[in-house]
Amino acid sequence: MSTLPVSSLNLSENLETNRIGPRLLKYLNALLDENGYVYVHGAPERYDYLELLGRLGEFVPQYDGSLVWDLKPEPGMDDVYHSKNTRPLVPHTEAYEFAGDPPRFLALWGVKQAEGQGGETTLADGYRFLSGLSDAQLEELRTRSYNWHSSEGLSMKGIHVNSTHPSLETRNGQTILRYSYNNVTTTGDGVLENYLEEGKKYFDAEHFAVSIETNCLLVWDNWRMIHSRNAFTDRSRHLKRVLIR
């Protein structure tokens, strides 16, 4: 086992049955509220993560309509920006281009951990980033709308999703942060461009890396956390993903 993230839940020490009870679910939610993410480890073999994650909220369909998205390298996708190859990803929140609100939580669990170096999921607290922006910048990001669009890899698959939203919105007192370093149309006036560049600098300086081991789960607040991925070489690496509203 590699060094565990600060916000972790060990099921081998807490799981009394093959199901998380109300006490552990409350603790998991508390960790999400405090830190923006939780790494769950020590689960029994073939643990039913879908049952657990379904108690955080309703699953949101993926780009192809499925509820579970397989993240593993696909032939012919190595030269484009896409989640299903071995290349690094740039900082982003997920589903910024969806109509309506993006999913609140994103969860990844390991089917097959990458051997060798690389493949870590990287995270940084977007709310901390926002706290360093000026009131004028925050107001601009709340009042101006931009066109957010899906990735080059999805376009190659015939999936074209785009919508228009501000970078920041509020729902029931909670801030929704949208961020994509490469899949939003800039306007040339410098406002969005500065936001993207400052966000990238913040992420590069403040992110931490999580290696999702086989049969372990990483779940985070998608309205709050910015994430990316390190490059890797092991093409047998395999994660599964769900989106939760």
Side-chain angles (χ1 to χ4, degrees):
M1 174 75 72
S2 58
T3 302
L4 290 170
V6 172
S7 186
S8 297
L9 175 59
N10 187 346
L11 291 188
S12 68
E13 296 177 353
N14 294 281
L15 198 66
E16 297 177 359
T17 66
N18 204 38
R19 189 173 186 270
I20 282 186
R23 178 183 63 84
L24 278 185
L25 187 63
K26 182 178 180 180
Y27 180 55
L28 188 150
N29 277 295
L31 290 173
L32 282 170
D33 288 343
E34 181 179 358
N35 302 305
Y37 76 99
V38 182
Y39 184 70
V40 180
H41 61 102
E45 188 175 358
R46 298 185 183 89
Y47 184 74
D48 188 358
Y49 280 123
L50 285 177
E51 190 279 330
L52 165 61
L53 295 168
R55 286 189 283 156
L56 293 180
E58 178 185 356
F59 294 139
V60 177
Q62 309 279 337
Y63 294 98
D64 61 358
S66 64
L67 292 182
V68 180
W69 183 258
D70 277 299
L71 285 167
K72 53 185 178 180
E74 289 186 350
M77 303 303 291
D78 289 343
D79 295 328
V80 298
Y81 184 82
H82 190 45
S83 62
K84 296 190 178 187
N85 58 28
T86 64
R87 294 172 54 180
L89 300 178
V90 297
H92 62 287
T93 57
E94 202 67 33
Y96 40 76
E97 77 275 41
F98 280 18
D101 296 342
R104 179 64 189 272
F105 299 110
L106 189 155
L108 297 172
W109 68 93
V111 179
K112 168 71 168 61
Q113 183 184 13
E115 295 184 7
Q117 295 184 335
E120 302 89 355
T121 298
T122 51
L123 295 165
D125 191 336
Y127 287 176
R128 284 187 58 199
F129 163 58
L130 294 180
S131 70
L133 301 182
S134 69
D135 290 342
Q137 284 177 297
L138 294 173
E139 181 64 20
E140 291 277 8
L141 294 169
R142 290 184 181 278
T143 55
R144 296 195 186 199
S145 292
Y146 302 98
N147 181 257
W148 307 81
H149 55 86
S150 51
S151 69
E152 180 185 8
L154 288 172
S155 295
M156 285 184 61
K157 294 283 190 179
I159 299 173
H160 304 278
V161 183
N162 69 282
S163 59
T164 302
H165 301 285
S167 297
L168 302 179
E169 294 186 274
T170 301
R171 294 288 182 274
N172 299 319
Q174 190 74 31
T175 297
I176 298 174
L177 184 159
R178 288 185 181 86
Y179 184 91
S180 172
Y181 189 69
N182 63 341
N183 288 324
V184 59
T185 304
T186 55
T187 57
D189 62 9
V191 176
L192 181 62
E193 291 86 344
N194 288 340
Y195 170 65
L196 297 180
E197 291 302 326
E198 289 183 35
K200 178 69 161 51
K201 290 178 182 177
Y202 169 83
F203 189 88
D204 288 346
E206 299 295 334
H207 76 264
F208 57 94
V210 180
S211 180
I212 303 175
E213 299 189 341
T214 301
N215 204 40
C216 294
L217 168 76
L218 178 64
V219 55
W220 66 86
D221 185 342
N222 185 52
W223 290 6
R224 171 179 174 179
M225 305 297 286
I226 303 172
H227 71 281
S228 68
R229 179 188 72 202
N230 290 335
F232 58 99
T233 57
D234 179 10
R235 298 187 70 85
S236 68
R237 176 187 185 268
H238 184 189
L239 302 177
K240 288 183 179 288
R241 182 183 79 188
V242 294
L243 308 173
I244 305 166
R245 69 164 53 92

